[in-house]
Amino acid sequence: MSFKSFTEYLLLEKNYSALTVNAYQTDLENFSDFITAKYETNTINKVNYPQIRSWIVSMVESGLSNRSINRKVSALNTYYKFLLKIGEIKTNPLSKHKALKTSKKIQVPFSENEVMTVLNDLHFENDFEGIRNKLIIELFYSTGIRRIELVELKLTSVNLDNKTLKVLGKRNKERIVPLLESVVQTINKYLVSRNKLESITDEDILFLTKKGIKVYETLVYRIINDYFSLASSKVKKSPHILRHSFATHLLNQGADLNAVKELLGHSSLAATQVYTHNSITELKKVHVKSHPRSEK
């Protein structure tokens, strides 16, 4: 079954990233394969809720997490909403569906001391990769950008005169993020080293491998994991945890929630508020320590 018109709608009208659209298409194809095998039909438009429910049950039985199942069902629901919009169906079979319960994942950020240990105490080679790796860590911690946003940065994204970074976020929404003077210095050092590479294939891309091609997401993950493994005993050491640390540390220092929301590129405050649980912990400490009625 072709989902071409749907994927074009997601790309052109909804401004979804190619990565998200590919994930949606894969989920729809998986569902189409399921109903073809079980119900001998590949007409998704005519599927009813009990049939969808059997797909959900099969995913639960296969051991897929509730979070992953909800994401797949959400993709199917988006497709049905599209069919409603263009008049292909009259009712959405998922209109009364309730998502499976999921446990809230508490992301434990790095402490300020752990981040400072990585940036100030660990050894970075004074070669292309060493300079690049340090800049990647500095950018994550000083701007809070997402991993895919960092990978997609172009040379033109950086404005050294204004000390700003233009970031292309979710749904192709641009935001301008300020750069610290220390980060500007590292960028300058990196650009000098980058210009000395023997050959560059992706000339417009900021972050490259030593072979001159664009860095990829697994490499960026590995860089963060490798360095922070030397300074932190936390189970998860990823670019997202560094982004989480950026937000948490700002809030701990009294930053305005709306300002942090803008820096992170969130569309709503609700998305930013997940980072406040640690700052609340800090506030409680200050409250207990400082309030006249507190037992000291």
Side-chain angles (χ1 to χ4, degrees), residues 222-239:
R222 194 161 65 240
I223 289 168
I224 301 303
N225 185 69
D226 287 352
Y227 281 98
F228 277 87
S229 291
L230 301 173
S232 174
S233 59
K234 289 182 172 62
V235 174
K236 193 169 183 181
K237 296 173 277 288
S238 68

Side-chain angles (χ1 to χ4, degrees), residues 40-55:
E40 298 182 353
T41 176
N42 63 354
T43 310
I44 292 182
N45 304 21
K46 296 180 181 179
V47 167
N48 57 39
Y49 183 70
Q51 291 171 325
I52 297 173
R53 185 70 186 169
S54 69
W55 177 53

Side-chain angles (χ1 to χ4, degrees), residues 17 40 51 57 65 68 73 77 83-84 94 97 99 108 113 125 184 200-201 220 225 227 246 250 261:
S17 70
E40 298 182 353
Q51 291 171 325
V57 170
S65 71
S68 295
V73 175
N77 190 34
L83 293 180
L84 271 174
L94 280 167
H97 172 75
V108 181
N113 183 58
E125 295 292 339
V184 170
I200 296 179
T201 302
V220 174
N225 185 69
Y227 281 98
F246 160 82
L250 280 179
K261 166 184 168 289

Side-chain angles (χ1 to χ4, degrees), residues 204-241:
D204 61 328
I205 297 298
L206 178 61
F207 285 109
L208 304 174
T209 69
K210 62 183 179 181
K211 293 182 179 179
I213 61 173
K214 183 168 78 170
V215 295
Y216 43 97
E217 290 193 59
T218 51
L219 171 61
V220 174
Y221 174 88
R222 194 161 65 240
I223 289 168
I224 301 303
N225 185 69
D226 287 352
Y227 281 98
F228 277 87
S229 291
L230 301 173
S232 174
S233 59
K234 289 182 172 62
V235 174
K236 193 169 183 181
K237 296 173 277 288
S238 68
H240 183 72
I241 296 299

Side-chain angles (χ1 to χ4, degrees), residues 100-195:
L100 302 179
K101 289 184 178 180
T102 58
S103 58
K104 287 188 176 179
K105 289 184 177 180
I106 297 178
Q107 303 281 3
V108 181
F110 299 119
S111 67
E112 292 183 31
N113 183 58
E114 286 172 332
V115 179
M116 291 306 109
T117 297
V118 170
L119 290 174
N120 299 334
D121 299 338
L122 294 188
H123 176 67
F124 291 84
E125 295 292 339
N126 194 33
D127 57 11
F128 170 76
E129 289 188 326
I131 298 167
R132 179 203 63 195
N133 293 353
K134 186 170 187 181
L135 176 57
I136 285 174
I137 295 171
E138 285 187 350
L139 263 187
F140 275 133
Y141 184 59
S142 66
T143 67
I145 60 176
R146 301 176 177 92
R147 175 169 49 168
I148 186 62
E149 292 172 344
L150 180 136
V151 168
E152 296 296 334
L153 285 175
K154 294 180 169 53
L155 285 172
T156 54
S157 303
V158 182
N159 188 322
L160 295 175
D161 294 330
N162 292 336
K163 298 178 183 176
T164 57
L165 185 71
K166 183 164 67 176
V167 182
L168 189 63
K170 289 185 176 181
R171 301 189 182 182
N172 293 324
K173 185 180 178 183
E174 282 188 355
R175 68 184 186 278
I176 303 296
V177 181
L179 293 172
L180 299 174
E181 178 60 38
S182 59
V183 179
V184 170
Q185 292 176 11
T186 310
I187 290 174
N188 279 318
K189 188 176 180 181
Y190 167 73
L191 291 176
V192 170
S193 184
R194 181 186 181 281
N195 289 337

Side-chain angles (χ1 to χ4, degrees), residues 1 3 22-38 41-42 44 51 55-56 58-59 64 68 71-73 75-76:
M1 185 172 183
F3 301 105
N22 287 337
Y24 272 50
Q25 182 162 340
T26 298
D27 292 335
L28 290 176
E29 288 172 351
N30 288 343
F31 177 63
S32 181
D33 290 343
F34 173 83
I35 62 167
T36 299
K38 185 160 186 175
T41 176
N42 63 354
I44 292 182
Q51 291 171 325
W55 177 53
I56 296 171
S58 74
M59 290 191 287
L64 206 60
S68 295
R71 183 186 59 77
K72 290 176 180 295
V73 175
L76 184 60

